[in-house]
């Protein structure tokens, strides 16, 4: 049976993930009474699945490796990659403070992957080696945050509620946010707090909101907790959104064997400029739609957004698969040729056949279209010239059976629209006026804010950690300010 109880804190942080944990622990260390509410049974949110790439210029680690880099260069790279479509005010805060975020992690034993910082080619690359990640990807970040959270709950006024969901924001007559309703242990608890921080993540696991905001097919590899709650909560009290029109899908993983509509990011084909492609990409009609050796991953992602159902197949022969061994040459990340062969016919979307026609029929591609496309491609290889798409890497015909087709969807790892904030992380209403008492950090503000209409290496995890730290420190200081009302 539901009953209402009441609790009071200085700061209520909604969501114990990438952005919420740093917000809460820095606010508490600066002296605030903090409640951190997490709907899942464990902390971490997207940190359980993310690559956890962080981007920062001017770090000790770069200096130790003789890498010269500046905040200005980082900003210039972001502006180039995003074509100036990201929020310059927010991106500047990230670039200026990202090195401190990396040092904060480093000083707490962050397990850097030894090869980092490096240039990452999965997205449009930076010009300088400034992307860092942990040996265990996002889990390496979570290891540090989790230990720091434990220490903070032990020594400061920080309370963590797990399996507790914020269901409603509370406002006063003037429209200021005064707290929230938290559903916990079968009861609704009214939590009063002068500062409420939404750190609830994106909406990649909320098909309805995704359809409403993007109107594009959703194949998700987002965390299952990314259900858009912060956006629903903020919209219900009149918050504005930002990032409209910045949506961009990315090359995906193999279809999830169990859940239709999801993709496995851990089993993904290498479709970036890291390796030269021996395969062709075809759509449902069997037609090629891009030069497979296009160096710009960004150009390829934009072309992908335009094809029917954002679905395509890589088609290759056994000779191409046989040579795709070792590191970046592999067709599927981490899989040697025999492991890829073993998946054919066993996993959804992966097919092998002795003829192109049979392959097309198995895969659901138009057989006539595919047969003609492969013939045209083989003729282009023979002529050394691809008239259709201008591909220049034409190493070998698709001619050695068995032939393979692997289905690929554009996938959504992150979502681009979100709650509009100002440069102090205060949520703004539809007229652009800050809503007193309400803040937002992390993917709830939308990837468009810090990546614009692009994927910029590290430009979600870095803002989440950095904005969380900066906002937490500020809210903590405000809570201890004797002049506070
Ligand atoms: C596979 C994958 C790879 C990625 N790789 C990178 C990368 O390498 N670099 C990069 O910069 N970005 C990457 N991203 C994106 C990045 O990881 C995320 O944008 C970021 O981690 C999100 O942080 P967050 O704090 O906003 O959300 P989360 O870390 O997801 O935390 C949100 C938390 O809020 C909780 N919550 C939600 N609603 C409520 C509610 N109503 N009440 C209470 N709690 C609630 C959730 O359960 C969750 O724990 C990747 C994403 C994916 C999916």
């Amino acid at each position: 049976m539901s009953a209402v109880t009441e609790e009071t804190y200085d700061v209520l942080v909604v969501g114990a993930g990438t952005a919420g944990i740093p917000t809460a622990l820095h606010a508490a260390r600066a002296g605030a009474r903090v409640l951190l509410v997490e709907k899942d049974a464990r902390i971490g949110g997207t940190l359980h699945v993310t690559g956890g790439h962080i981007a920062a210029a001017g770090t000790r680690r770069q200096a130790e490796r003789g890498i010269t880099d500046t905040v200005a260069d980082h900003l210039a790279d972001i502006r180039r990659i995003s074509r100036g479509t990201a929020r310059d005010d927010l991106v500047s805060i990230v670039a200026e403070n990202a090195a401190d975020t990396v040092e904060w992690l480093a000083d707490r034993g962050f397990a850097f992957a030894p090869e980092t910082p490096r240039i990452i080619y999965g997205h449009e690359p930076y010009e300088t080696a400034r992307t860092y990640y942990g040996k265990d990807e996002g889990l390496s970040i979570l290891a540090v945050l989790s230990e720091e959270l434990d220490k903070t709950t032990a020594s400061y006024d920080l309370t963590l509620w797990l399996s507790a969901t914020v269901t409603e924001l509370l406002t006063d007559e003037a429209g200021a946010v005064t707290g929230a309703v938290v559903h916990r242990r079968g009861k609704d608890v009214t939590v009063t707090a002068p500062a409420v921080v939404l750190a609830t993540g994106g909406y990649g696991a909320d098909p309805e909101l995704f359809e409403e905001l993007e109107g594009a097919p959703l194949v998700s590899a987002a965390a299952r907790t990314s259900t858009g709650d912060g956006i629903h909560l903020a919209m219900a009290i009149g918050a504005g959104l930002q990032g409209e029109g910045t949506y961009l899908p990315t090359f995906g993983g193999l279809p999830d064997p169990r859940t239709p509509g999801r993709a496995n990011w851990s089993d993904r084909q290498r479709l970036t400029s890291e390796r030269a492609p021996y395969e062709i990409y075809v759509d449902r009609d069997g037609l090629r739609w891009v030069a497979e050796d296009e160096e710009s991953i960004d150009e390829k992602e934009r072309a992908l957004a335009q094809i029917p159902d954002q679905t395509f197949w890589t088609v290759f022969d056994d000779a191409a698969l046989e040579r795709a061994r070792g590191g970046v040459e592999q067709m599927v990340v981490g899989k040697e040729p025999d492991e890829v062969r073993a998946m054919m016919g066993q996993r959804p979307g992966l097919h092998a056949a002795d003829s192109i026609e049979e392959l097309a029929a198995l895969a659901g591609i138009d057989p006539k279209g595919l047969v003609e496309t492969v013939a045209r491609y083989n003729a282009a290889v023979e002529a050394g010239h691809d008239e259709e798409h201008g591909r220049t890497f034409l190493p070998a015909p698709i001619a050695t059976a068995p032939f393979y087709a692997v289905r690929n969807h554009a996938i959504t790892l992150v979502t681009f629209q979100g709650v509009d904030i100002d440069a102090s992380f205060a949520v703004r209403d539809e007229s652009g006026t800050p809503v007193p008492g309400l803040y937002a950090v992390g993917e709830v503000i939308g990837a468009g804010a810090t990546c614009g209409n692009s994927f910029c290496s590290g430009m979600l995890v870095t803002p989440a950690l950095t904005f969380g730290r900066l906002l937490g420190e500020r809210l903590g200081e405000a809570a201890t300010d004797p002049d506070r009302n």
Side-chain angles (χ1 to χ4, degrees), residues 360-420:
L362 280 174
I365 308 169
D366 175 51
K368 186 166 174 285
L370 187 60
V371 167
E372 288 173 5
T373 293
V374 171
R376 274 200 305 280
Y377 175 74
N378 289 347
V381 171
E382 175 83 28
H385 176 65
D386 170 28
E387 241 172 64
E388 269 178 282
H389 292 284
R391 168 173 171 160
T392 55
F393 183 72
L394 297 160
I398 298 173
T400 312
F403 302 102
Y404 305 103
V406 177
R407 193 171 81 219
N408 243 275
H409 293 273
I411 57 160
T412 290
L413 294 175
V414 301
T415 43
F416 281 78
Q417 294 193 58
V419 174
D420 184 29

Side-chain angles (χ1 to χ4, degrees), residues 14-20 37-40 42-47 49-54 123 164-167 199-202 221-223 225-230 233 265 412-414 441-444 456-464:
V14 189
T18 321
V37 176
E38 169 53 53
K39 72 172 177 179
D40 205 0
R42 60 179 186 179
I43 63 164
T46 302
L47 288 173
V49 296
T50 180
H53 292 192
I54 304 169
H123 300 307
T165 305
V166 169
T167 56
T200 49
T225 47
S226 297
T227 48
D229 293 24
L233 291 165
W265 179 244
T412 290
L413 294 175
V414 301
V441 283
E443 202 181 311
V444 69
C456 244
S457 176
M459 280 306 284
L460 279 150
V461 168
T462 320

Side-chain angles (χ1 to χ4, degrees), residues 204-226:
D206 180 345
E208 274 174 33
L209 185 59
F210 190 86
E211 169 66 31
E212 187 185 323
L213 294 180
E214 306 302 354
L218 174 63
V219 174
S220 179
R224 289 169 197 272
T225 47
S226 297

